[in-house]
Amino acid sequence: MGTGLALSESSSNFSNLIELLRWRTFHQPDQPIYTFLIDGDREETYLTCAELDRQARSIGARLQNLQSTGERALLLYPPGLEYIAGFFGCLYANVIAVPAYPPDPARLTRTLPRLQTMVADAQATIVLPTNEILSPAEFLFDQAPDLRALKWLATDAIGDKLEDDWRQPQVTRDTVAFLQYTSGSTRTPRGVMVSHGNLLHNSELTRQAFGVTPESIAVIWLPPYHDMGLIGGILQPLYTGLRCVLMSPVSFLQRPFQWLQAISRYGGTVSGGPNFAYDLCVRKITPEQRETLDLSSWTLAFNGAEPIRPETIERFTQTFEPQGFQRQTFYPCYGLAEATLFVSGGVKAHPPVLRAFDKAALERNHVIEKAEGDDGGETFVGCGQLSKEQEIVIVDPEGLTPCAPDQIGEIWISGPSIALGYWDKPDETEEIFRARLPGLDKTFLRTGDLGFVREGELFVTGRIKDLIIIRGRNHYPQDIELTVERAHSAVRPGCGAAFSVDVEGEERLVVVQEVDTRQQVDIDEVANTIRRAVAEAHEVQVYGVVLIEPRSIPKTSSGKIQRHACRADFLAGTLPVVKASILDVTGVPKEESSAAPEPLLVKALRALPMKERQALLEAHLQEQVARVLKVAPSQVGLQQPLNNLGIDSVMTVDLMGEIESGLGVSFPIDRLLHEITVSQLASLVLEQLIAPTAAPTLTEEPVTEYPLSHGQRALWFLNQLSPNSGAYNLVNAVRIRAQVDVDAMRRAVER
């Protein structure tokens, strides 16, 4: 069926991606390279090679008119064909593209700071959106004036008249094509400088490893803002000349069936994603939907970007084998942004390599193979072998010397796909991209991943910075997280984090896990079951089991769990807790209530007479309204309707989030959109907060800590407030009137 054209020249004969697209346009102008499915179902217009070239020249000419050569341009598009045109428009103008997620208005506190960090780090001067993104972007500027200062250029409004004004820039294989910002799963995101040569070399590696041809058909739902979606899903089809059917990642997450439906409908031969995607299909696709699928055309299902589970391979194969899917279609692979994308992969049409190793030895960084099924064994999935053009060594991350064959160490890589370094970070670039081994005259990339090689096969065991070491034993967080997933039906798969914290000089294990709050389960039993399961499987005591609300665990924009961010939220006490079971020094669980700890403001309210409650809450809400409006609290009248103050729907979402998280109450958001005043809002909150029906049920527990008195609770709250806030002054006045002995109470609080 394919009408593509194989490259008659190797990637080494192209100096940049502009030459590649121009070559495709000359030889096959009408070849439809990309098809985008709206809502994961309805088709959008095809994008042919000639059309992509024309749009890229128009955008490139407009950028050239801005004298922007070498500048950084933020790509702020939803997934779709406009994103592809904008990316190539940057390449055609020698402008360094910076792919980014458009900020989510409902989650600005999480998505906007990352965007601002990227803008500041890349020193971006231009933003390329569509009109659809540009029109409502004004609401961002009050909260992010740094974005207002950039040049905003809606590329879908440029038109066709500039294409002939384009002039081919001076671009070589070493020219930076774009900045791939790392996921931030272990630290602040950093911009990886990926060159045209890196992309061409890695595309050729992938073509050879995947065995794709112009006759292949790719079906891709992966986010185009990340290396797997951009390089594997957009650039690789253009490089090989194959047809690519694209869909939004949101469409896949909402209805995983649409992914497999597209493979079935278009006869897709190559597709894939992280491990969780296959598990999601098994859980969410109904037997009736499965009956409509034909997956016999699917010959390569790549699986990477996170630990690959043997159970996932088996479950997906068993579930979809009746629809024509074969086990040998699975293609485990390994890669990372710092190596452009692809590093290693298996042999196409060969079954995945599964090996069992002694679990106790692995905890001591030793590799001892066991027979599959033996007690004390742990099965790993191999991630394939490197190509001849790249070299891998396993290195002791402390001594920086090669490991023995039976040792686990850090994975180091050398080869032409290794990126140029981190943008504007020479010291980190030297440390990570220029590592050296004694006696070798070459540099290596330090991946930060742990693993080993057995019979030429690479096995990845985890991340150095995520490794949990308790009493001298290594515990990989992904293994503990898998145990937690299986412990109880109320646990939400793929939504947990395991990490360690220092407790009185000793490393202790903490598990944070989302739970399905819709299920009618004993939440205490869920926590106890998790604690038991981890102890039995890993012989380690869980210091803290923290069950949190659905869709609340910190994740990167590519869906990876941010264990370090989760740990920071745990230590800061900012997790949306449903249940927290923390051991005291004797190993006995404390705070075993089935609800989240009562917010400090609520503690203070309960300690005051009714009149002072209303005044305190009004002062608090007055400050919150002033915060979202970015005005002084004195400008917010207690009897003035909120909509008269200029509060819009985005600000309302922000305010509602503060009320829900800070006070533990909720009500329909449309109550805030009508003519409600701060005083009325305070009364509405108090109705829920103080009403007897809303009071939490207290259970008798062994006294391991003495509870605070009402006065102590009020003082505790006072100590948390800003001394410049109205709420602080109000509570302080109440304290003075009551003639509280502050020093005595402070000692009591500390006890």
Side-chain angles (χ1 to χ4, degrees):
M1 289 288 296
T3 58
L5 188 66
L7 291 174
S8 60
E9 339 175 31
S10 71
S11 65
S12 61
N13 291 328
F14 290 106
S15 63
N16 56 64
L17 292 173
I18 303 172
E19 292 180 1
L20 172 63
L21 178 53
R22 299 286 285 169
W23 186 87
R24 286 268 173 229
T25 300
F26 178 79
H27 287 285
Q28 47 189 135
D30 300 324
Q31 166 70 10
I33 290 289
Y34 304 109
T35 301
F36 186 77
L37 304 181
I38 300 176
D39 298 328
D41 190 5
R42 294 181 290 118
E43 288 189 14
E44 191 176 12
T45 307
Y46 295 113
L47 193 59
T48 65
C49 295
E51 180 64 16
L52 176 57
D53 174 70
R54 184 189 62 76
Q55 292 186 27
R57 283 187 286 126
S58 294
I59 296 170
R62 182 71 179 89
L63 291 172
Q64 287 174 334
N65 290 342
L66 295 176
Q67 304 295 316
S68 57
T69 299
E71 296 292 317
R72 274 70 60 204
L74 201 68
L75 303 185
L76 217 55
Y77 298 91
L81 303 183
E82 293 90 354
Y83 173 90
I84 301 174
F87 180 83
F88 275 92
C90 288
L91 298 182
Y92 272 45
N94 194 13
V95 169
I96 300 174
V98 184
Y101 268 102
D104 184 348
R107 300 170 58 245
L108 282 183
T109 56
R110 188 175 297 278
T111 58
L112 187 56
R114 173 181 167 82
L115 184 65
Q116 291 176 289
T117 298
M118 291 172 60
V119 169
D121 185 78
Q123 300 157 351
T125 59
I126 302 168
V127 181
L128 300 184
T130 60
N131 267 317
E132 180 185 4
I133 296 292
L134 179 59
S135 299
E138 187 72 26
F139 80 89
L140 290 175
F141 297 153
D142 289 339
Q143 301 186 56
D146 50 331
L147 297 182
R148 183 192 294 274
L150 304 178
K151 300 173 186 174
W152 290 69
L153 178 62
T155 54
D156 56 346
I158 291 177
D160 304 335
K161 297 181 179 180
L162 292 178
E163 59 186 85
D164 293 332
D165 295 340
W166 174 72
R167 297 293 179 268
Q168 184 151 339
Q170 296 295 317
V171 175
T172 70
R173 293 180 68 88
D174 294 329
T175 301
V176 177
F178 76 104
L179 299 183
Q180 177 63 69
Y181 271 83
T182 58
S183 63
S185 57
T186 58
R187 62 170 72 193
T188 301
R190 295 168 294 178
V192 179
M193 296 184 289
V194 184
S195 72
H196 285 259
N198 292 148
L199 293 168
L200 290 168
H201 181 266
N202 207 256
S203 294
E204 177 62 19
L205 285 185
T206 306
R207 185 192 67 79
Q208 294 176 10
F210 282 17
V212 289
T213 71
E215 309 301 316
S216 303
I217 297 175
V219 177
I220 303 295
W221 60 265
L222 298 161
Y225 320 103
H226 291 279
D227 47 10
M228 188 183 288
L230 172 57
I231 301 170
I234 294 176
L235 299 185
Q236 178 60 40
L238 179 68
Y239 182 86
T240 304
L242 58 86
R243 183 183 182 186
C244 182
V245 178
L246 297 163
M247 60 190 297
S248 166
V250 175
S251 297
F252 162 70
L253 293 173
Q254 291 176 339
R255 293 191 63 205
F257 172 65
Q258 292 182 332
W259 174 32
L260 302 193
Q261 185 183 45
I263 294 174
S264 178
R265 181 194 309 164
Y266 291 95
T269 62
V270 55
S271 189
N275 197 79
F276 86 88
Y278 298 97
D279 287 334
L280 195 63
C281 288
V282 172
R283 294 199 309 270
K284 297 294 185 180
I285 297 178
T286 66
E288 293 76 18
Q289 290 173 328
R290 292 202 301 266
E291 288 297 323
T292 67
L293 297 175
D294 178 4
L295 303 179
S296 58
S297 64
W298 199 359
T299 58
L300 188 137
F302 57 85
N303 187 342
E306 63 183 23
I308 303 168
R309 303 287 186 188
E311 299 85 354
T312 297
I313 294 174
E314 299 305 326
R315 282 196 299 263
F316 191 89
T317 300
Q318 291 175 11
T319 302
F320 293 99
E321 202 167 33
Q323 282 68 52
F325 185 86
Q326 300 181 29
R327 190 173 185 274
Q328 59 265 32
T329 299
F330 265 113
Y331 188 90
C333 50
Y334 167 70
L336 67 163
E338 286 84 349
T340 301
L341 174 61
F342 181 83
V343 172
S344 67
V347 179
K348 185 178 179 180
H350 285 210
V353 176
L354 274 63
R355 296 282 181 85
F357 299 94
D358 185 273
K359 186 175 180 179
L362 290 173
E363 293 171 352
R364 300 188 300 273
N365 283 336
H366 289 295
V367 181
I368 300 176
E369 195 160 353
K370 299 196 70 167
E372 193 168 352
D374 281 2
D375 292 340
E378 182 170 359
T379 302
F380 283 87
V381 179
C383 292
Q385 304 184 9
L386 283 179
S387 71
K388 296 178 181 179
E389 296 182 46
Q390 299 203 109
E391 180 181 358
I392 184 173
V393 290
I394 306 299
V395 178
D396 177 357
E398 300 296 330
L400 303 184
T401 56
C403 289
D406 62 347
Q407 285 185 310
I408 294 174
E410 184 180 9
I411 301 169
W412 288 22
I413 308 167
S414 179
S417 280
I418 303 305
L420 303 180
Y422 294 125
W423 176 263
D424 199 31
K425 290 180 173 55
D427 293 340
E428 288 188 53
T429 294
E430 190 68 23
E431 176 189 358
I432 302 300
F433 289 84
R434 309 283 186 267
R436 294 182 179 274
L437 288 173
L440 291 181
D441 187 23
K442 66 172 64 176
T443 60
F444 290 86
L445 167 71
R446 298 189 61 172
T447 67
D449 291 319
L450 294 170
F452 59 92
V453 175
R454 178 57 57 101
E455 297 178 3
E457 187 82 13
L458 174 65
F459 293 87
V460 181
T461 60
R463 292 282 301 170
I464 290 177
K465 293 186 178 299
D466 287 339
L467 189 65
I468 299 169
I469 304 176
I470 296 179
R471 297 193 177 100
R473 292 175 57 197
N474 296 342
H475 298 276
Y476 295 106
Q478 63 268 25
D479 296 336
I480 295 173
E481 291 157 7
L482 182 61
T483 298
V484 173
E485 278 187 20
R486 297 169 171 172
H488 199 284
S489 61
V491 168
R492 301 189 74 234
C495 299
F499 51 85
S500 63
V501 296
D502 185 279
V503 180
E504 298 183 359
E506 182 181 357
E507 286 297 300
R508 306 293 295 273
L509 174 64
V510 174
V511 170
V512 175
Q513 175 64 53
E514 291 183 12
V515 288
D516 187 349
T517 52
R518 298 170 300 179
Q519 294 191 29
Q520 299 299 316
V521 297
D522 183 340
I523 203 71
D524 290 331
E525 179 57 26
V526 175
N528 293 335
T529 301
I530 289 174
R531 198 184 296 278
R532 258 193 323 270
V534 174
E536 291 172 0
H538 304 278
E539 297 181 355
V540 62
Q541 183 188 57
V542 183
Y543 166 72
V545 177
V546 184
L547 305 180
I548 60 176
E549 296 284 349
R551 293 172 294 279
S552 62
I553 197 161
K555 289 185 178 182
T556 69
S557 51
S558 59
K560 296 180 184 177
I561 298 294
Q562 289 183 301
R563 297 188 182 101
H564 285 246
C566 192
R567 181 179 185 274
D569 288 347
F570 169 78
L571 294 174
T574 56
L575 291 168
V577 178
V578 173
K579 161 77 182 182
S581 174
I582 311 295
L583 301 181
D584 63 17
V585 292
T586 65
V588 177
K590 61 182 180 180
E591 293 190 65
E592 291 286 352
S593 64
S594 60
E598 194 171 39
L600 295 175
L601 178 57
V602 178
K603 295 175 185 290
L605 289 170
R606 295 190 189 282
L608 297 172
M610 182 58 72
K611 185 176 181 180
E612 279 82 358
R613 289 176 183 174
Q614 177 78 18
L616 173 58
L617 193 51
E618 286 178 354
H620 172 73
L621 294 174
Q622 186 181 40
E623 288 189 353
Q624 294 307 316
V625 172
R627 178 183 62 80
V628 300
L629 289 170
K630 297 192 179 299
V631 300
S634 60
Q635 295 179 264
V636 179
L638 298 180
Q639 306 303 327
Q640 188 175 7
L642 296 184
N643 54 3
N644 288 359
L645 295 169
I647 191 167
D648 59 23
S649 58
V650 175
M651 296 174 181
T652 301
V653 170
D654 191 0
L655 178 61
M656 190 68 201
E658 172 61 32
I659 293 174
E660 289 184 346
S661 62
L663 298 171
V665 299
S666 62
F667 42 81
I669 196 168
D670 58 4
R671 297 294 297 272
L672 296 184
L673 297 175
H674 295 299
E675 293 194 356
I676 190 171
T677 67
V678 171
S679 182
Q680 291 169 339
L681 181 58
S683 299
L684 186 64
V685 171
L686 282 173
E687 285 178 12
Q688 287 195 43
L689 204 58
I690 309 300
T693 56
T697 302
L698 302 179
T699 56
E700 289 292 326
E701 293 183 2
V703 179
T704 56
E705 293 184 347
Y706 288 96
L708 301 181
S709 70
H710 291 302
Q712 290 170 332
R713 291 177 181 179
L715 179 63
W716 184 15
F717 170 69
L718 175 63
N719 287 335
Q720 309 303 314
L721 294 176
S722 165
N724 297 321
S725 68
Y728 178 97
N729 295 329
L730 179 62
V731 178
N732 199 36
V734 173
R735 175 188 62 78
I736 293 172
R737 287 204 304 271
Q739 295 183 337
V740 176
D741 184 340
V742 176
D743 291 336
M745 286 187 66
R746 191 182 302 278
R747 290 193 297 272
V749 170
E750 291 172 351
R751 285 200 299 273

